[in-house]
Amino acid sequence: MTAQIINGKETAAQVRTELKNKIATLNSAPKLAIILVGNDDSSLIYVRNKQKAAAEIGIETELYHLPENTAEQTVWEIIDDCNRNTDVNGIIVQLPLPAHLNTHKIINRILPTKDVDGFHPYNTGMLHNNEKPYFIAATPLGIMKLIQQHCPNLSGKNVVLIGASLIVGRPLATLLLNQECTVSITHIHTRNIKELTQKADILVAACGVAKLVKADWIKPDSILIDVGINRDNGKICGDIDFDDVVDKAAAITPVPGGVGPMTIAMLLQNTYDAFLIQHSAL
Ligand code: NAD
């Protein structure tokens, strides 16, 4: 049996169309401020993609593109201005920041009600407490939507995550735990990962190692979510060896066309929600 393809591109397109229709009924356009420090190639592409996707559905963006050697104080001042500016609904700081800048101090400066990346400790803390944060990080939020489409009742499922980063693995683990899953978080120092992944009803790979997960790592008929974006001989691939596992799994997200498009769609969703929060409609 060949695995069902979990089509993130299609789901993301539906989310964007629904948002576009809702935004068309607003009196003014939601606005997203994007702070980018330096000229990291990947960051430049990600920011351009976010701006393009926002424009397509009627969200305005304002890009603060700052030189690599920008002082922390300057970034804080821009965030303070955006926090005060009632025309700005959402603020994101493109990561990674140059090494001389303290990422936590910068993120913590953003008002939780404008933190559409969901990285502020208020929002992560509320998630941790199983209360309603203003925002949940876009990648885990998009992954949850894809998983729940294929597995509406998550209670008691055995889920293994490969990768424990602040932007993917940790918030996703909390979201899954809040849905009554049994969650194992593995990382670079985990011993015998395979023994854990072989028991996973749902396996999420978010480690950035091209084609790490092979057929003998997975449980037959499991759901596989591939977050990785890697290059293998110039071709984009995930952390899961798609061709190797496709006849053994029940469902799998492709790379590209799986989690990636959902991340952008969820950022747009969060920006729309920020507009509603600031207009006291949510
Ligand atoms: P990160 O570098 O911050 O974290 C990687 C995690 O994987 C760490 O916890 C590390 O310990 C673990 N890890 C690394 N090598 C491992 C190995 N061999 N075995 C087990 N664990 C290992 O990375 P990140 O920002 O979480 O991103 C992970 C991957 O997901 C990258 O390929 C990134 O490009 C991709 N990503 C995709 C999206 C998307 O929208 N599709 C969003 C964010 C990240």
Side-chain angles (χ1 to χ4, degrees):
M1 200 191 77
T2 302
Q4 190 182 349
I5 304 300
I6 302 175
N7 193 335
K9 203 172 161 185
E10 201 173 280
T11 305
Q14 282 164 8
V15 171
R16 292 204 311 264
T17 303
E18 282 166 24
L19 284 173
K20 186 176 181 175
N21 293 338
K22 288 192 241 177
I23 288 167
T25 67
L26 301 175
N27 292 331
S28 58
K31 188 167 176 179
L32 174 67
I34 304 174
I35 299 169
L36 170 63
V37 187
N39 291 299
D40 176 75
D41 283 343
S42 300
S43 292
L44 288 167
I45 295 171
Y46 291 143
V47 165
R48 212 175 302 134
N49 289 345
K50 288 172 189 175
Q51 287 190 285
K52 186 167 169 272
E56 277 166 11
I57 64 161
I59 291 178
E60 282 178 18
T61 55
E62 177 146 7
L63 175 61
Y64 295 87
H65 190 178
L66 310 170
E68 180 86 22
N69 61 358
T70 301
E72 199 155 278
Q73 182 72 29
T74 307
V75 184
W76 288 356
E77 283 165 10
I78 291 171
I79 292 174
D80 291 348
D81 282 346
C82 291
N83 281 340
R84 275 190 298 266
N85 186 344
T86 52
D87 289 339
V88 172
N89 305 111
I91 304 167
I92 59 171
V93 177
Q94 185 64 39
L95 302 179
L97 286 166
H100 69 282
L101 297 174
N102 183 321
T103 302
H104 290 296
K105 279 191 178 166
I106 286 175
I107 297 296
N108 296 0
R109 196 95 183 179
I110 299 172
L111 273 181
T113 49
K114 294 193 178 187
D115 167 44
V116 288
D117 262 342
F119 296 155
H120 189 285
Y122 174 86
N123 286 316
T124 55
M126 291 296 271
L127 182 66
H128 182 84
N129 291 354
N130 202 3
E131 291 189 67
K132 198 178 175 319
Y134 291 114
F135 306 104
I136 295 168
T139 303
L141 194 58
I143 292 171
M144 285 303 287
K145 207 169 163 77
L146 293 179
I147 292 177
Q148 282 172 317
Q149 269 178 357
H150 285 261
C151 189
N153 183 10
L154 286 172
S155 184
K157 294 286 181 218
N158 193 17
V159 186
V160 176
L161 312 181
I162 307 177
S165 73
L166 290 173
I167 63 165
V168 188
R170 288 171 198 237
L172 182 61
T174 308
L175 284 165
L176 290 159
L177 191 58
N178 292 350
Q179 292 298 316
E180 303 170 350
C181 294
T182 302
V183 186
S184 305
I185 312 172
T186 69
H187 47 78
I188 189 80
H189 302 292
T190 305
R191 298 193 185 112
N192 304 325
I193 288 193
K194 231 160 84 164
E195 283 176 16
L196 292 165
T197 59
Q198 283 167 344
K199 297 192 186 98
D201 302 313
I202 300 170
L203 173 62
V204 181
C207 57
V209 182
K211 300 183 180 176
L212 177 74
V213 176
K214 308 284 183 194
D216 64 337
W217 285 52
I218 70 163
K219 183 176 163 182
D221 294 329
S222 50
I223 296 176
L224 306 180
I225 305 292
D226 195 347
V227 188
I229 304 174
N230 314 291
R231 283 198 180 269
D232 185 49
N233 288 324
K235 216 177 140 205
I236 289 188
C237 72
D239 294 343
I240 298 177
D241 189 335
F242 185 94
D243 294 336
D244 206 46
V245 301
V246 73
D247 292 332
K248 192 172 177 187
I252 182 168
T253 59
V255 178
V259 174
M262 289 303 289
T263 295
I264 293 204
M266 293 299 107
L267 172 67
L268 301 176
Q269 170 81 59
N270 281 351
T271 306
Y272 171 72
D273 288 348
F275 181 96
L276 297 187
I277 287 167
Q278 281 139 46
H279 290 78
S280 302
L282 204 67

